[in-house]
Amino acid sequence: MTLIETQQDRTDLPLVAIPSVFDDMIEPLREAFPLLDGIARVRMHTDHTFDTHEFVERCAGAQAVIVINVHISDAMLTELAGHVRVLAFGGTGVASYVNLDLAAKLGVRICNVRHYGDAAVAEFAFALMLEITRRVGALDRQLRDGSWDGAPGLDLNGRTLAIVGLGGIGGTVARIANGFGMHVTAWDSGRGDPARFVTHNVAPVPTLTELFAGADVVSVHMPLTDETHGMITSEHLDAMRPGTIFINTARAEVIASGALEKRLARGDIPAGLDVFDTEPLPADSPLRSMPNLVLTPHVAWRSDGANRNLTRQCVESIASYFTGGDYNAVTPGVAWNTGK
């Protein structure tokens, strides 16, 4: 681990701490640092830590923190609020990473990033579908182990893909699915423009139960909010026919607690999961031993293009806060020029 700092001589400027970062985000972040010239100085640790004590220690003296894939507990947030005025998260669904109500009470602004990885997440959803239908990874391991047996696959062409949430990512998934020759259906919250169903060649379905019942593949693309928490229930999951493929690259918490694990335990549907109720996924999780699953460690959002968009938005939100703006603010916090 090394330490990267900017404008070290400008002690009159507020400090931005980046206590934890992935290797592939270091250079995109450095490219965005000029946005803070004359506004704030930066201290970035160039490794990734899940250790909460170490994370908080690395934030010492900072008024702003960029948070990359680290869950901020209530205890951490309360401690950080002694000097941190803004937390910029490298993700969209920040409600699963920090207590927004507590942040508002403590006067800490929470910022997210938006539409930074629509293509990255959509492509990864298809990577999971293709691993389930064509087993490329498993076939690679099989061949390396000396076998030439191969395995039968399934076509996506001609099958029905049901999308839960037709926003930026869901719309990109629909576009890709059309290229595969799939029949695409979707249910959406109704807050967006209804014309996007026509734009993306998607057939609307009025209820989630009907959507799940008519699908060959279900792909979830809803953000986590108070309204969407637990919105997919056991009833919806039970409506899936045996053999239906279930994909979740959104948030695990949009599914009612325990409902998906119970459905998958029946063993009659395969699934590709990139998100989990507890992350990292516990070593004793029953999901790890289910043979009908493809599991990945919440990486759908990580690509070169998404990294550039994400890191720049994080830096822009910090710059905006210190200059009186509200770019990507989820909670208002206290204005920088008024103090606490």
Side-chain angles (χ1 to χ4, degrees):
M1 187 276 296
T2 58
L3 201 61
I4 295 175
E5 297 179 282
T6 69
Q7 306 182 91
Q8 297 179 58
D9 58 326
R10 293 293 308 273
T11 55
D12 58 308
L13 297 177
L15 175 64
V16 180
I18 307 176
S20 180
V21 67
F22 293 113
D23 288 346
D24 52 346
M25 292 186 180
I26 294 172
E27 284 309 310
L29 276 165
R30 293 181 71 166
E31 291 172 6
F33 286 165
L35 295 170
L36 294 171
D37 284 352
I39 297 173
R41 52 201 166 97
V42 176
R43 182 179 67 220
M44 178 169 68
H45 291 79
T46 59
D47 65 340
H48 190 71
T49 179
F50 286 107
D51 183 276
T52 58
H53 178 71
E54 183 176 23
F55 184 95
V56 171
E57 275 195 338
R58 292 180 176 187
C59 296
Q63 290 76 41
V65 178
I66 292 178
V67 184
I68 303 295
N69 203 35
V70 172
H71 292 259
I72 304 298
S73 68
D74 288 357
M76 292 171 68
L77 180 59
T78 301
E79 185 172 356
L80 290 170
H83 54 91
V84 173
R85 309 287 5 113
V86 56
L87 295 174
F89 282 80
T92 301
V94 292
S96 60
Y97 281 87
V98 66
N99 184 331
L100 297 178
D101 290 337
L102 179 59
K105 290 178 182 177
L106 293 171
V108 178
R109 176 180 290 186
I110 304 298
C111 299
N112 69 355
V113 292
R114 302 170 188 180
H115 297 293
Y116 71 97
D118 289 357
V121 177
E123 290 173 10
F124 198 87
F126 270 88
L128 291 173
M129 290 181 215
L130 290 167
E131 181 58 37
I132 291 169
T133 58
R134 301 311 304 266
R135 309 178 189 179
V136 173
L139 289 168
D140 172 75
R141 291 190 296 273
Q142 181 192 100
L143 187 149
R144 292 175 187 274
D145 289 339
S147 172
W148 197 259
D149 290 343
L154 298 173
D155 291 334
L156 290 177
N157 179 61
R159 285 186 159 83
T160 297
L161 170 64
I163 300 174
V164 184
L166 199 61
I169 297 173
T172 306
V173 168
R175 177 174 55 80
I176 297 172
N178 283 317
F180 272 86
M182 302 184 79
H183 173 59
V184 187
T185 63
W187 174 92
D188 192 66
S189 63
R191 293 183 176 178
D193 184 354
R196 61 196 158 164
F197 283 92
V198 176
T199 300
H200 296 303
N201 191 29
V202 174
V205 177
T207 70
L208 282 175
T209 300
E210 291 177 72
L211 184 78
F212 280 55
D216 297 304
V217 183
V218 174
S219 194
V220 181
H221 300 288
M222 291 295 292
L224 179 62
T225 66
D226 289 341
E227 293 178 356
T228 64
H229 194 284
M231 60 171 283
I232 297 174
T233 67
S234 293
E235 177 187 355
H236 302 134
L237 298 173
D238 286 344
M240 288 189 291
R241 303 185 304 269
T244 302
I245 298 168
F246 185 82
I247 304 292
N248 192 2
T249 54
R251 284 292 187 270
E253 296 92 337
V254 301
I255 303 172
S257 180
L260 181 60
E261 184 177 303
K262 180 180 177 182
R263 180 67 181 86
L264 294 174
R266 286 156 55 178
D268 63 345
I269 64 169
L273 307 178
D274 186 53
V275 290
F276 308 93
D277 287 317
T278 301
E279 296 180 353
L281 184 65
D284 61 352
S285 170
L287 295 175
R288 289 180 178 267
S289 60
M290 294 184 187
N292 51 323
L293 309 186
V294 175
L295 309 176
T296 54
H298 201 151
V299 293
W301 56 282
R302 287 181 65 185
S303 73
D304 58 345
N307 281 348
R308 287 192 298 272
N309 293 336
L310 176 153
T311 52
R312 186 176 182 86
Q313 285 191 48
C314 283
V315 174
E316 285 180 333
S317 65
I318 298 292
S320 176
Y321 175 76
F322 286 130
T323 55
D326 60 358
Y327 179 72
N328 279 355
V330 177
T331 60
V334 176
W336 170 244
N337 60 2
T338 65
K340 186 175 179 181

